[in-house]
Structure formats: structure tokens, C-alpha cells
Amino acid sequence: MVGETRARLAEEIRSVKEEQLPSLRGDIQVTAHQAMQLVRSQEDKLARLEQMVHKLENEQLPSRNRLEERLEALEETTSSLMIKVEEILKQLKAVERR
């Protein structure tokens, strides 16, 4: 009985080594290849996305610069108006005192 079990187990081990193991190795190789293709595909998509972001940034930079220039001009105008308003208020207070 022990001899039969040992012989049956030896046959199963041989079957695994000769039939199933090469098949599993092939499956692993196919899966590894597919994974590498997916990684390359994701890297390509990421590179294209980075290029698009860079392009958009470059396209928006002139608009942003113009907006900043307008904002600076508006700040200067507002400052001059505030100075004039303060001068007018001083004049009004002087008139009220008389």
C-alpha cells in the first residue's frame, strides 16, 4: 500500500513537472508580457498628458501676463484715485471749518 501511494505520488509529481509546470510558466510569461504592454501604454498616455498640460500652460501664459498687467494698472489707478479722494476730503474738512 505504501509502495502504491508512493508510486501514485511520484506519477503526480512527474505529471505536474512535465505537463502543468510548462503551461504555468507560459501563462506567467504571457501575463508578464501583457503587464509590460499595459505599463508602456500608461507611460505613453502619461507623456501625452504631460505634453498637453505643458502646451496649455504655454498657451495660457500670455493671457495670464496680460491679466497681471491689467491688474497692476488697475491697482495704480485705484491708488491715484484714493490719493485724490483723500485730498478732496481734506479740502472739504477745511471748508467745513470756516
Side-chain angles (χ1 to χ4, degrees):
M1 180 133 177
V2 173
E4 290 175 12
T5 303
R6 191 175 286 161
R8 189 172 33 100
L9 289 175
E11 181 59 32
E12 287 180 19
I13 291 171
R14 195 173 16 261
S15 169
V16 167
K17 285 182 181 178
E18 292 174 0
E19 296 170 13
Q20 294 176 2
L21 192 58
S23 174
L24 290 174
R25 284 184 180 147
D27 291 347
I28 289 171
Q29 288 175 343
V30 167
T31 303
H33 180 70
Q34 289 172 341
M36 290 303 296
Q37 286 179 324
L38 286 173
V39 167
R40 281 189 220 110
S41 173
Q42 292 301 316
E43 288 173 346
D44 290 345
K45 289 177 183 176
L46 180 60
R48 281 185 291 197
L49 183 59
E50 287 173 347
Q51 287 174 350
M52 290 172 63
V53 166
H54 185 69
K55 180 181 176 187
L56 285 173
E57 286 175 346
N58 288 337
E59 289 174 355
Q60 291 178 356
L61 186 60
S63 297
R64 190 175 1 188
N65 289 340
R66 283 194 304 271
L67 286 174
E68 288 174 357
E69 290 170 1
R70 288 181 184 172
L71 183 58
E72 288 174 11
L74 184 59
E75 288 174 352
E76 290 174 10
T77 304
T78 304
S79 294
S80 355
L81 286 173
M82 289 303 295
I83 291 170
K84 288 180 183 178
V85 167
E86 287 175 8
E87 290 173 1
I88 292 170
L89 284 174
K90 286 180 186 177
Q91 291 173 359
L92 285 173
K93 285 182 183 179
V95 169
E96 286 177 357
R97 288 184 195 154
R98 292 184 191 167

